[in-house]
Amino acid sequence: MVAGYPLGARTAVELHQKGYLTRDETERLLCFCNNSTPVFLMNVLGLGVFHDIRIGLWLWLIHIGSAL
């Protein structure tokens, strides 16, 4: 939830390829690896698009809530 994609997805796949995770475990882990990074949401969307970092923070909190 703090690193975002594609790093989380790539790491999950590598763990599966090395035999540390089963296919089922990898698929479950990928559910938590599709979030945007807080930096992207706060800086690019919050400040860049909406000119308010609080909107970016709310978007990040929504991402966390959705993943959980």
Side-chain angles (χ1 to χ4, degrees):
M1 291 185 210
V2 294
Y5 56 84
L7 181 61
R10 189 181 85 197
T11 302
V13 170
E14 286 179 7
L15 290 171
H16 174 66
Q17 290 172 340
K18 292 179 180 178
Y20 294 117
L21 297 174
T22 65
R23 180 182 173 102
D24 188 51
E25 291 170 330
T26 305
E27 289 173 353
R28 280 187 270 143
L29 182 60
L30 287 173
C31 293
F32 297 93
C33 295
N34 60 354
N35 298 310
S36 296
T37 63
V39 173
F40 173 78
L41 291 170
M42 287 184 233
N43 290 337
V44 175
L45 294 181
L47 289 175
V49 176
F50 297 109
H51 307 290
D52 188 351
I53 197 165
R54 291 175 295 177
I55 293 174
L57 178 61
W58 276 109
L59 289 170
W60 183 55
L61 294 173
I62 291 167
H63 263 62
I64 290 172
S66 298
L68 294 175

